[in-house]
Amino acid sequence: MQSSPTDALPILVVDDDDHMLRTIGDILRFRGYAPIAVPSGRAGLAAAEQMSSPPAIALVDLRLPDMDGIELVSRLRALSELTEVVILTGNASLDSAVRALREQSYDYLVKPVQPDFLLRSIDRAAERWRRKSAEVAAQESRERLRRMFDHVRDALVITDATGHILDANPAAAALAGVPIEGLRERTIAGMLGTELGPLAEGAGTRVEYEMRSPGGAARVVEVQTDTFAPGMYVHTVRDLTERRRLEEELHQSRKMDAIGRLAGGVAHDINNVLTAILCYSELLINDLKETDHRRADVSEIRQAARRAAALTGQLLAFSRKQVLQPRVLDLNAVVDEMERMLARVIGEDITLLRQSAPDLWPVRADPGQLSQVLMNLAVNARDAMPGGGRLTIETANTSLAQLRLHRHGVIEPGDYVLLRVTDSGAGIPDDVLANIFEPFFTTKERGKGTGLGLSTVYGIIAQSNGRIEVASSVGVGTTFTIYLPRAKGEELPPEPRRSTSTTAAEPGHETILLVEDEDMLRTLLVRILTQQGYRVLAASDATETLTLARNHLAEVELLVIDIVMPGMSGRELADRLVEMRPDIKVLYMTGYTDDALVQYGVSDLRRSILQKPFSNQTLTRKIREILDGTE
């Protein structure tokens, strides 16, 4: 490929006279141009096509051996309309002049060419080429800027110094809901629907405004103002509404997570205390005669402890940390089992409607916890319909192809089974809707609710890997939609047999190694198990446990151990003892949660876990089942 100095215009010289080519080339080089001399039309086309850019000027003889000079000019014009043409002719006739003008050549020269005439003609052609090139470049630049202006996603508005809109891009028209022509009749303040405020200070400002969209909804926009040209400004209007909503959702999610961690920790400590209250209450009742009036008092204490245990269960459900017993199930079957109870709970003035989809996909969840979800939603719906109404429970299969955003989070694409609960009640105001899943948040009168119902629902569904969204209109009603992931590749198992036995466990005689760091609870458990006939070796930490094991492990048949303890965890300590005696049986106790089970490595041993708070009867029956191998 031929090239020329960057500061020298390339000139294509086409003439079949070698002497003329050399002479013209020398003159042009002396002037500072970059001549490319060729002897024929085809050679001229080939040279022009190989150049990095088309020649600025083409000096063409009319008579060439292989083609007419005018044909060559036409073909050069096809390569670039900017190329200036100067015709060379050995015959200064009217015909040659007309032909040159017809091809819009800038000039034509008669051979033999005088150097001065040649240079003046070439200089004029060069100036003309520079001017035309600058105009084309400016036009292309304007077109590029316009394309960029039109395709920027942010709204761009150009105004004069008074704020009157001179131009705007399609994004600005879409944001304002007005055609671009209509925007040119407004000011930037009129478009935003607000006073200019700091915007009036001019370039370099960045201000947030609340702007009303064409539908009347409020939108948060950020307006940055910069100088566009003397006396003109460009305003970049960025819609921050979705970003602010996502930031608020993130903030809400973090707040809920923090409250959940706090709730889980508090519930663990309370569960230890409640275990002691429940067990001591049973010991007292067993020691009191049927005629003793104090039995009623102790029964009330036990009942209060059970109610408190239910509340801690709700706290753990909210914090997504209760111990679940998930299995593959049919959601329709869960709703069927609850239907009669729900009808009694909501009352006769509320009509319960069912819309159950056939061939529902299986889900993996804890049926007891799903029943609690239904109960809590039904109770909330009942309270929202004091004058009666309709409560509709619907199940269905659904598949989401895209990420679904909603007020309380996001739902990933995938296959889901829907549980939708709809009431025709009073509805939930928009300012309340954002907080309904927060624990202890309630709009009911004092004493009418704990504020844990919906937070419990939220926690259960989240821990089951599901999602929940809510839609409500004041005066129309509320719909809660629960998305439970489809259990793919799993068959519905036969319904498990349920034990209805309430009899006390058989007395025992075996040796039990009990490890519990809570002094009050350890003392109580030793008393309960001793009364039941067991020999109990008690320890408060790993050091005491290992000391007892070295002396008595051969006699121990069951290790009862708390999962979370200071120093060495219950799982680590149990593993040490199992290494020492592989046939020893283990029962873990915990006031903690699913997350703790995973953290301490016992999530695969749920059948050997006793959840606090528990009663004396529950403890002794569980121990008997493990020792007898009937668990």
Side-chain angles (χ1 to χ4, degrees), residues 1-5 8-18 20-29 32-61 64 72 76 83 88 122:
M1 179 180 292
Q2 292 173 307
S3 61
S4 60
L9 291 183
I11 298 177
L12 179 65
V13 183
V14 185
D15 197 308
D16 59 346
D17 186 332
D18 291 341
M20 181 66 69
L21 279 180
R22 286 195 300 271
T23 301
I24 293 176
D26 291 341
I27 293 171
L28 293 178
R29 272 189 288 274
Y33 293 107
I36 301 169
V38 293
S40 67
R42 289 188 178 86
L45 285 174
E49 290 171 352
Q50 293 175 17
M51 295 172 66
S52 59
S53 58
I57 303 169
L59 188 60
V60 179
D61 189 3
L64 296 171
L72 175 60
L76 289 174
T83 299
L88 283 173
I122 294 298

Side-chain angles (χ1 to χ4, degrees), residues 473-616:
S473 297
V474 175
V476 177
T478 301
T479 297
F480 288 89
T481 303
I482 294 169
Y483 294 78
L484 294 172
R486 176 185 183 182
K488 295 184 178 180
E490 298 189 70
E491 298 292 333
L492 287 173
E495 286 294 317
R497 292 180 298 174
R498 299 186 180 182
S499 173
T500 57
S501 172
T502 58
T503 59
E506 292 293 325
H509 60 277
E510 294 89 347
T511 299
I512 295 175
L513 176 55
L514 172 68
V515 186
E516 168 61 60
D517 63 302
E518 187 76 32
D519 293 341
M520 175 185 63
L521 195 54
R522 185 176 63 256
T523 301
L524 171 62
L525 296 179
V526 169
R527 179 178 171 183
I528 294 171
L529 296 177
T530 301
Q531 287 183 354
Q532 195 67 15
Y534 297 104
R535 179 191 175 207
V536 182
L537 304 173
S540 61
D541 55 30
T543 301
E544 289 186 13
T545 302
L546 293 174
T547 300
L548 286 172
R550 280 192 291 270
N551 298 322
H552 302 284
L553 191 58
E555 310 160 23
V556 176
E557 297 187 48
L558 175 66
L559 171 65
V560 179
I561 186 168
D562 196 11
I563 290 177
V564 182
M565 296 190 306
M568 187 181 297
S569 74
R571 175 59 189 265
E572 292 174 322
L573 185 53
D575 286 346
R576 292 275 295 275
L577 298 182
V578 169
E579 287 179 4
M580 297 167 64
R581 183 178 166 186
D583 63 337
I584 192 172
K585 297 179 179 179
V586 181
L587 171 61
Y588 292 99
M589 301 179 295
T590 179
Y592 272 96
T593 60
D594 263 6
D595 284 357
L597 303 186
V598 173
Q599 178 182 349
Y600 292 99
V602 293
S603 59
D604 58 333
L605 302 174
R606 295 181 189 280
R607 290 169 60 92
S608 300
I609 293 174
L610 186 59
Q611 180 72 29
K612 300 175 183 177
F614 50 76
S615 66
N616 300 8

Side-chain angles (χ1 to χ4, degrees), residues 12-298:
L12 179 65
V13 183
V14 185
D15 197 308
D16 59 346
D17 186 332
D18 291 341
H19 175 72
M20 181 66 69
L21 279 180
R22 286 195 300 271
T23 301
I24 293 176
D26 291 341
I27 293 171
L28 293 178
R29 272 189 288 274
F30 180 78
R31 190 70 161 188
Y33 293 107
I36 301 169
V38 293
S40 67
R42 289 188 178 86
L45 285 174
E49 290 171 352
Q50 293 175 17
M51 295 172 66
S52 59
S53 58
I57 303 169
L59 188 60
V60 179
D61 189 3
L62 278 179
R63 295 182 182 275
L64 296 171
D66 54 352
M67 70 173 63
D68 185 75
I70 298 301
E71 180 185 352
L72 175 60
V73 170
S74 298
R75 296 177 70 172
L76 289 174
R77 293 280 191 195
L79 293 177
S80 173
E81 294 183 356
L82 290 179
T83 299
E84 289 294 315
V85 177
V86 175
I87 296 295
L88 283 173
T89 178
N91 181 14
S93 65
L94 179 62
D95 177 64
S96 63
V98 169
R99 294 179 68 198
L101 291 173
R102 185 178 295 135
E103 287 303 319
Q104 298 180 348
S105 66
Y106 176 74
D107 205 350
Y108 79 99
L109 300 173
V110 180
K111 299 178 183 178
V113 181
Q114 295 295 320
D116 290 345
F117 289 164
L118 172 65
L119 291 176
R120 281 200 295 270
S121 181
I122 294 298
D123 288 346
R124 288 195 298 267
E127 182 60 29
R128 183 180 175 87
W129 178 87
R130 292 189 182 95
R131 186 168 61 251
K132 287 170 60 178
S133 297
E135 290 173 355
V136 169
Q139 179 62 29
E140 291 177 348
S141 178
R142 286 192 295 269
E143 290 178 358
R144 284 195 299 270
L145 286 174
R146 170 52 68 177
R147 286 195 295 270
M148 293 170 59
F149 187 69
D150 288 345
H151 288 87
V152 170
R153 296 179 62 182
D154 291 334
L156 297 178
V157 180
I158 298 174
T159 68
D160 60 19
T162 66
H164 184 81
I165 296 176
L166 304 175
D167 200 0
N169 68 345
L175 181 64
V178 177
I180 294 177
E181 294 75 14
L183 281 179
R184 293 192 180 107
E185 299 173 0
R186 296 188 179 187
T187 63
I188 181 66
M191 171 188 163
L192 298 174
T194 182
E195 295 295 328
L196 283 178
L199 197 61
E201 297 175 6
T205 60
R206 187 191 296 265
V207 189
E208 283 191 16
Y209 293 100
E210 185 175 281
M211 174 184 176
R212 289 289 169 183
S213 67
R219 306 198 69 80
V220 179
V221 296
E222 178 189 74
V223 184
Q224 179 176 346
T225 301
D226 293 290
T227 300
F228 181 71
M232 299 170 64
Y233 297 99
V234 58
H235 309 277
T236 304
V237 185
R238 178 164 296 174
D239 191 345
L240 301 180
T241 307
E242 185 64 18
R243 182 194 298 181
R244 291 289 181 265
R245 187 181 70 81
L246 293 175
E247 288 173 353
E248 180 62 27
E249 286 180 0
L250 178 61
H251 172 72
Q252 181 75 2
S253 175
R254 286 174 175 170
K255 182 171 69 173
M256 297 277 279
D257 186 59
I259 296 174
R261 288 196 299 271
L262 174 63
V266 170
H268 161 256
D269 292 337
I270 293 176
N271 278 336
N272 275 339
V273 176
L274 290 177
T275 300
I277 295 174
L278 285 170
C279 292
Y280 273 119
S281 298
E282 289 191 18
L283 290 175
L284 281 173
I285 286 180
N286 293 336
D287 288 344
L288 295 174
K289 296 180 180 180
E290 291 288 342
T291 57
D292 195 322
H293 69 277
R294 291 175 295 178
R295 284 182 64 93
D297 296 337
V298 177

